[in-house]
Amino acid sequence: MSGVAAKVAKDRAVAEGLGTNKNPAKYLNQDYEELRTQCLASRTLFKDDQFPACVSALGYNELGPNSPKTQGVVWKRPSEICAHPHFIIDGATRGDIRQGALGDCWLLAAIASLTLDQDILAQVVPDNQSFEKDYAGIFHFQFWQFGEWVDVVVDDRLPTKNGELVFVHSAEGDEFWSALLEKAYAKLNGSYEALTGGSTIEGFEDFTGGISEQYELKNAPADLFQIIQKALKAESLLGCSIDITNAYDSESITSRKLVKGHAYSVTGAEEVVYRGQKVQLIRVRNPWGEVEWTGPWSDDAPEWNSIDSRVREALDNKAEDGEFWMAYTDWIREYSRLEICNLSPDTLTSNDQHKWNVTLFNGSWVRGSTAGGCQNYPGTFWTNPQFRIKLDEPDHDHNGPSREPSCTVIVGLMQKNRRRQRKLGEDLLSIGYALYKVPKELQQQTDVHLTREFFQKTPAAGRSDTFINMREVSKRMKLPVGDYLIVPATFEPMKAGDFCLRIFSEKAAKSLEVGDVAKANPYEPQVTDKDLTNDFKNIFQKLSGDKGEVTAKDIQTIMNRLLSKRTDLKSNGLSLATCREMVSLMDMDGTQTLNLIEFKTLWLKIQKFMEIFIRTDNDRSGTMDAHEMRAALQDAGFTLNNMIQQGIVQRYADGDLTINFNSFISCLIRLETLFKMFKHLDKYNSGRIEFSLPEWLCATVI
């Protein structure tokens, strides 16, 4: 219950603006200003008890306790490493980033790219931090994490060996912003070792909140040059690289001076007239050094002499700065991969450029509830979380493949916190998504979780390229104007995990989670004297005796006698607590007993519940699995959102995620009681009720 309450409180805070880059959430509830003020007042240096300077912060396997690689590691503050430490000297540059004994070159390449954009750098590395003014041994950095910005606090104790930093360090050795940034990112992911292996685009996303795209250049789409131009206009971050085929290829230089395995930045895309023909050019930068392309359109190439002098003056750059132009056709041939990180409106960049519109959903795959697996598992695929977007504004250049008004969208599915879970033996799940066009007859039914039948007869209008074990899968699509349903999934069912689903669109998209409502229309039998047969009256007479009323104990006795004779219902007997709740549901006069009419009404309800249970138990096992439970609840008249479905599984399912008839009955009775209680107290049909604490305790305990 406390977890649910915490989630509700967090959702309300987010609605009020928490988690934006102007108001980042405090990671682990640590407030930088408050902690620094306390340290300055007490004249002590900050020690971070949430990420202590010990072996657990280093790692869990190769950098774990008793590992040879962690022997001799001593944690030191910068003032113990050099005489005059500095946070940043004359601005952050790529020279401040030298890789240490950690396989996180992907992260360092992303950090190096940060130094090319001072606005984004200032967002990740806040100003007014130094080892001189108001130094208290505490620093902070801001990262985007799965839909929200977080402010991460660290102390400045860094791992060293023989007096030198073990991990990232500056060339001069007295500048520490990059080492502290790496430490903050390690804290965010659980340890330094958790940063081993990754993609530069992951760092781009966590530094900007953007969404990534990847293109294999040997299979480049025909309009890739136009995509690059649009991305540059929107101030996206673009990187390209040349694959290495073996360990000896790493850092090797081609005959035309391109470095294999390096992360290059793409900084320009222009079209020029060369000898009467239009030629597409790409500008590339090697952030690590001055090695430059020597082929056509390089700094001293003769091609520049055959274009308009004003164009040449605007584009030509002969400085040995690692930046150069090359023909788009050569670039496609020489490089292997392009990565684009499209920025969100929340990123601090200039206001006059085009920005994407962003729609964000958070969700979970829960075993037995919403972890339905991919389309290969039609029996459970429909139980995955479902999200709707409405695209009703076409792009400016709106013609799609079929020449009808279309909208450009990038759909990205990202799994959360998998690096942190490595130490528990967990790794990335294989994930993907499918996208469906919603037919007109269903467009108004936004509160309905679409069922197996819909997916069996409706082909996908788009999907991720493949299910793969990456942090994020994304794809750019041109979709005709209309309503769409997106279903994120793991490849196999019963795989638990949290995710965020993002839709970047050129025009605003309306969105909602499907079935994010709770309502009930349970079976309500109308009993008259005609329904009271002599046989039923005799049964009631035997139970009630002279009292003329039956108690919860009486109901337990007859129900368990009945269930013991049923071979199609697996039951170990209804509890007295469940029978008491049955009485509470049906008792209209407050006697805590049921009269003949009330008992008959309950009897008809239970018979209805039996019919639903047997109908839903597809394998005739006498139990239902948690996914069948979802269909059974719908059949019984209950429309519930994913959070409630997950709570039901946690409360009523056994360890193997099966639900017997006792639990099924208990769940339905409890749900109906709660809905009726709410309706009775919601006198003005406002959808809200208020409780005093004693009223709340009374309602929930009873």
Side-chain angles (χ1 to χ4, degrees):
M1 181 66 75
S2 60
V4 174
K7 186 180 186 307
V8 171
K10 176 67 179 296
D11 290 344
R12 289 178 178 176
V14 169
E16 294 171 359
L18 181 68
T20 63
N21 63 9
K22 294 181 177 61
N23 183 24
K26 305 292 188 293
Y27 186 64
L28 301 179
N29 294 316
Q30 290 179 297
D31 187 302
Y32 168 73
E33 293 294 347
E34 184 178 299
L35 291 169
R36 186 175 70 157
T37 300
Q38 291 173 1
C39 290
L40 291 172
S42 62
R43 297 186 178 181
T44 58
L45 295 180
F46 177 61
K47 290 185 177 181
D48 187 2
D49 58 0
Q50 298 284 3
F51 195 58
C54 62
V55 70
S56 64
L58 295 177
Y60 45 87
N61 186 12
E62 291 188 6
L63 294 179
N66 304 317
S67 165
K69 292 185 178 181
T70 61
Q71 300 303 309
V73 169
V74 179
W75 294 81
K76 293 185 176 183
R77 296 188 188 270
S79 60
E80 300 172 294
I81 300 172
C82 66
H84 302 288
H86 301 280
F87 187 64
I88 295 179
I89 304 173
D90 297 329
T93 66
R94 60 177 181 266
D96 303 335
I97 305 155
R98 292 290 182 267
Q99 188 171 357
L102 190 64
D104 63 348
C105 60
W106 62 274
L107 174 63
L108 307 189
I111 296 174
S113 294
L114 270 186
T115 64
L116 302 178
D117 193 315
Q118 293 301 308
D119 287 334
I120 296 177
L121 179 69
Q123 178 175 288
V124 177
V125 186
D127 294 333
N128 301 319
Q129 302 190 83
S130 77
F131 288 94
E132 294 83 25
K133 183 180 179 182
D134 293 333
Y135 168 69
I138 183 171
F139 294 85
H140 69 131
F141 301 86
Q142 291 181 190
F143 305 104
W144 180 89
Q145 283 288 282
F146 316 119
E148 70 171 1
W149 285 91
V150 293
D151 189 83
V152 181
V153 168
V154 290
D155 64 32
D156 62 351
R157 295 177 293 175
L158 297 167
T160 69
K161 268 190 180 183
N162 302 318
E164 296 184 351
L165 290 176
V166 175
F167 304 128
V168 71
H169 52 277
S170 68
E172 291 77 14
D174 60 352
E175 198 169 0
F176 289 91
W177 72 269
S178 58
L180 292 168
L181 172 60
E182 182 188 46
K183 181 177 183 179
Y185 199 65
K187 177 179 178 178
L188 192 63
N189 287 281
S191 67
Y192 278 95
E193 188 173 359
L195 304 184
T196 302
S199 166
T200 302
I201 207 72
E202 185 175 340
F204 279 168
E205 290 183 328
D206 287 351
F207 296 152
T208 67
I211 193 170
S212 67
E213 300 176 79
Q214 295 192 49
Y215 294 94
E216 299 297 326
L217 297 184
K218 64 181 179 182
N219 299 315
D223 62 343
L224 182 59
F225 186 78
Q226 287 73 33
I227 290 173
I228 292 171
Q229 285 186 311
K230 268 192 173 182
L232 290 168
K233 183 178 180 182
E235 298 182 333
S236 302
L237 302 179
L238 289 82
C240 59
S241 59
I242 303 172
D243 285 346
I244 58 175
T245 55
N246 55 62
Y248 300 104
D249 260 358
S250 182
E251 306 296 317
S252 64
I253 301 175
T254 69
S255 60
R256 290 183 170 179
K257 303 297 183 184
L258 298 178
V259 185
K260 294 185 177 181
H262 264 202
Y264 285 79
S265 300
V266 175
T267 59
E270 299 289 344
E271 199 168 59
V272 301
V273 177
Y274 171 71
R275 294 181 178 177
Q277 300 291 325
K278 289 185 177 180
V279 176
Q280 295 171 336
L281 301 179
I282 291 285
R283 187 173 62 204
V284 182
R285 181 171 184 175
N286 174 6
W288 299 98
E290 286 70 45
V291 178
E292 292 189 14
W293 164 253
T294 58
W297 299 98
S298 59
D299 285 356
D300 296 314
E303 287 80 9
W304 293 105
N305 298 323
S306 299
I307 67 170
D308 186 281
S309 59
R310 290 169 296 181
V311 175
R312 173 178 178 173
E313 184 178 346
L315 302 183
D316 196 8
N317 184 4
K318 293 187 177 181
E320 292 296 327
D321 57 0
E323 191 169 54
F324 52 86
W325 289 94
M326 59 193 303
Y328 174 72
T329 51
D330 287 333
W331 178 77
I332 285 280
R333 184 170 55 251
E334 295 285 344
Y335 285 87
S336 309
R337 184 174 297 102
L338 170 69
E339 295 176 328
I340 302 176
C341 182
N342 301 283
L343 302 187
S344 73
D346 196 33
T347 304
L348 287 176
T349 54
S350 59
N351 295 321
D352 58 346
Q353 299 293 328
H354 166 75
K355 297 295 187 300
W356 293 89
N357 292 281
V358 181
T359 302
L360 171 74
F361 300 103
N362 287 293
S364 299
W365 295 296
V366 178
R367 292 179 68 247
S369 175
T370 55
C374 71
Q375 298 98 315
N376 295 348
Y377 304 90
T380 55
F381 175 72
W382 69 276
T383 64
N384 283 300
Q386 300 176 9
F387 304 93
R388 286 269 293 273
I389 57 170
K390 183 179 182 64
L391 304 172
D392 51 15
E393 290 186 65
D395 302 342
H396 292 303
D397 50 345
H398 60 254
N399 286 335
S402 59
R403 312 306 294 173
E404 60 183 315
S406 297
C407 309
T408 299
V409 296
I410 303 171
V411 180
L413 172 63
M414 179 182 292
Q415 48 190 317
K416 296 183 179 181
N417 301 315
R418 302 307 292 191
R419 286 188 181 275
R420 294 187 63 85
Q421 294 168 341
R422 283 182 179 177
K423 62 183 178 183
L424 304 176
E426 300 285 345
D427 213 331
L428 291 168
L429 301 168
S430 290
I431 61 171
Y433 59 81
L435 183 144
Y436 299 84
K437 184 79 176 286
V438 178
K440 289 183 178 179
E441 61 270 21
L442 294 178
Q443 287 179 5
Q444 302 305 315
Q445 299 182 26
T446 56
D447 59 346
V448 177
H449 192 96
L450 297 182
T451 62
R452 175 177 180 173
E453 290 70 29
F454 170 82
F455 296 105
Q456 285 180 324
K457 66 183 182 182
T458 308
R463 64 182 73 234
S464 54
D465 288 332
T466 183
F467 279 76
I468 190 170
N469 57 338
M470 294 180 63
R471 186 176 80 152
E472 183 177 49
V473 294
S474 65
K475 187 173 183 179
R476 178 184 292 249
M477 291 176 270
K478 271 190 175 290
L479 300 172
V481 168
D483 282 21
Y484 292 89
L485 181 81
I486 304 175
V487 183
T490 58
F491 182 74
E492 296 176 312
M494 297 294 183
K495 297 294 184 181
D498 299 321
F499 65 84
C500 67
L501 177 70
R502 295 184 292 164
I503 301 97
F504 275 42
S505 53
E506 289 201 2
K507 296 293 182 69
K510 299 173 184 176
S511 61
L512 72 157
E513 181 176 357
V514 175
D516 192 23
V517 296
K519 63 182 183 180
N521 184 26
Y523 172 58
E524 294 287 3
Q526 301 300 314
V527 178
T528 64
D529 290 339
K530 295 179 181 179
D531 301 306
L532 302 173
T533 64
N534 289 331
D535 287 342
F536 189 85
K537 289 178 180 178
N538 290 334
I539 293 172
F540 183 80
Q541 178 63 36
K542 289 179 182 179
L543 282 173
S544 63
D546 295 336
K547 305 186 301 291
E549 301 268 336
V550 293
T551 65
K553 186 65 177 176
D554 297 329
I555 294 171
Q556 183 187 33
T557 300
I558 191 170
M559 283 300 304
N560 289 341
R561 190 180 303 160
L562 172 66
L563 290 172
S564 67
K565 299 177 181 179
R566 298 290 296 256
T567 58
D568 53 350
L569 299 173
K570 188 168 287 187
S571 169
N572 53 10
L574 292 178
S575 69
L576 183 58
T578 296
C579 295
R580 283 173 175 162
E581 194 147 3
M582 289 180 180
V583 172
S584 179
L585 174 66
M586 305 307 303
D587 176 25
M588 294 295 104
D589 52 15
T591 62
Q592 297 301 309
T593 58
L594 301 185
N595 60 31
L596 178 60
I597 295 290
E598 290 168 341
F599 181 64
K600 178 65 175 181
T601 305
L602 175 63
W603 189 262
L604 291 174
K605 275 183 175 290
I606 292 173
Q607 286 184 313
K608 182 70 171 180
F609 295 161
M610 285 182 178
E611 292 173 10
I612 293 172
F613 189 92
I614 293 169
R615 184 163 58 243
T616 311
D617 178 17
N618 292 318
D619 60 359
R620 301 295 182 263
S621 63
T623 64
M624 63 175 67
D625 66 34
H627 291 289
E628 291 172 332
M629 179 67 164
R630 186 166 195 155
L633 289 171
Q634 287 185 342
D635 199 357
F638 295 98
T639 299
L640 307 172
N641 64 26
N642 286 334
M643 186 187 299
I644 300 172
Q645 297 281 0
Q646 292 161 16
I648 285 172
V649 171
Q650 292 169 359
R651 180 164 183 169
Y652 293 101
D654 293 333
D656 60 356
L657 296 180
T658 59
I659 296 168
N660 62 27
F661 184 69
N662 308 341
S663 296
F664 179 63
I665 288 285
S666 298
C667 177
L668 291 184
I669 293 295
R670 184 63 175 158
L671 280 173
E672 189 168 340
T673 300
L674 291 172
F675 272 103
K676 285 188 173 180
M677 182 190 302
F678 188 95
K679 186 176 181 180
H680 177 71
L681 295 171
D682 184 15
K683 299 183 183 300
Y684 303 105
N685 294 320
S686 65
R688 292 179 179 273
I689 57 177
E690 291 185 4
F691 281 109
S692 67
L693 180 58
E695 288 171 337
W696 165 254
L697 292 173
C698 183
T700 53
V701 169
I702 295 175

